[in-house]
Amino acid sequence: MNLNEKIAWYRRDRKLSQEELAAQTGVSRQAVSKWELGEATPDINKLVALAKAFGVTTDHLLNDAEQPEPVAPPAQEGGPADPPPGSSLPGIIGRMARRWGWLAGIYIALQGAGVALMGTAARWAFGRMFTASNRIMGSFGGPVGGWTYSGPPEMEDAVMEALGVVPHSSPLSEIQGVFLGISNLIMIIGILGVIAGLILAFVLWKGGRKGDS
């Protein structure tokens, strides 16, 4: 391969434009074009600059029998190849966590909603059950006149006191308070879970957007 052909080949292989090669060798772009076309030959100083820019020797450039050398020879067969950046398992997991981690917050919020719904249903069921029980107990030993309270169980004492009626003591009163208290606690825990899950989802979603930008 002739000198002009080697200059053109190495410039393209090294990803250099004619302007960039001209800047490295101290000539104009037109001079580089003439070298590649064979219309002019670089002097010894420019030949040294060309060899330095290409990473080869001047003897190699002048020897027509020697073929050009690629900038990065291919890897040997069977040799381990470097994986592309971010293709390892930790990198993939990290990218997925940044992009889809907010779904964990949504999952927590849904779980909290389920717990809150369960607490609400339990409170309603226990309230109905104890209201029916109080009616039955009242039929055996209720206040004078046969009147019994049939409203929400938690309001019974306040209503009785406002009416000036002394309620009879029920063996279910303490049990009623325990079950209703547990139901209220479950409902509150569920609501807190919904709030915490939504906050976590927002924080992770916002962090994932920053990581992708």
Side-chain angles (χ1 to χ4, degrees):
M1 184 178 287
N2 297 330
L3 174 60
N4 64 304
E5 295 173 334
K6 283 186 179 180
I7 294 174
W9 191 94
Y10 274 115
R11 180 182 62 79
R12 290 190 294 267
D13 184 71
R14 269 47 172 179
K15 303 296 187 296
L16 295 173
S17 65
Q18 288 185 344
E19 290 81 359
E20 292 172 337
L21 183 59
Q24 293 187 29
T25 55
V27 297
S28 64
R29 185 194 65 80
Q30 291 78 8
V32 173
S33 177
K34 290 181 178 181
W35 291 346
E36 294 182 355
L37 294 174
E39 297 177 356
T41 303
D43 58 31
I44 187 62
N45 292 330
K46 303 307 178 185
L47 190 63
V48 172
L50 285 171
K52 183 178 179 181
F54 297 148
V56 296
T57 64
T58 55
D59 292 340
H60 172 72
L61 291 177
L62 295 173
N63 190 345
D64 295 344
E66 293 187 9
Q67 296 301 315
E69 301 173 355
V71 64
Q76 297 180 356
E77 294 185 2
D82 293 334
S87 63
S88 61
L89 183 59
I92 295 174
I93 294 176
R95 289 199 307 273
M96 292 181 64
R98 287 193 301 271
R99 181 169 297 181
W100 305 108
W102 60 273
L103 290 177
I106 297 297
Y107 175 78
I108 294 175
L110 292 176
Q111 292 293 319
V115 172
L117 182 62
M118 182 176 64
T120 303
R123 187 178 186 281
W124 178 83
F126 287 138
R128 293 294 299 272
M129 181 182 68
F130 285 115
T131 298
S133 300
N134 288 338
R135 288 177 179 176
I136 295 174
M137 296 296 295
S139 65
F140 292 100
V144 178
W147 179 85
T148 57
Y149 175 77
S150 60
E154 60 271 17
M155 298 293 294
E156 181 176 1
D157 292 339
V159 172
M160 290 294 188
E161 183 177 355
L163 295 176
V165 178
V166 179
H168 60 279
S169 60
S170 171
L172 297 177
S173 298
E174 295 183 1
I175 300 177
Q176 174 181 342
V178 171
F179 277 91
L180 291 178
I182 294 175
S183 301
N184 290 336
L185 180 62
I186 293 175
M187 186 169 57
I188 292 173
I189 292 174
I191 293 174
L192 292 177
V194 172
I195 296 174
L198 292 177
I199 293 175
L200 179 63
F202 175 76
V203 172
L204 293 177
W205 173 77
K206 192 172 182 181
R209 291 189 62 185
K210 289 182 178 179
D212 292 337
S213 60

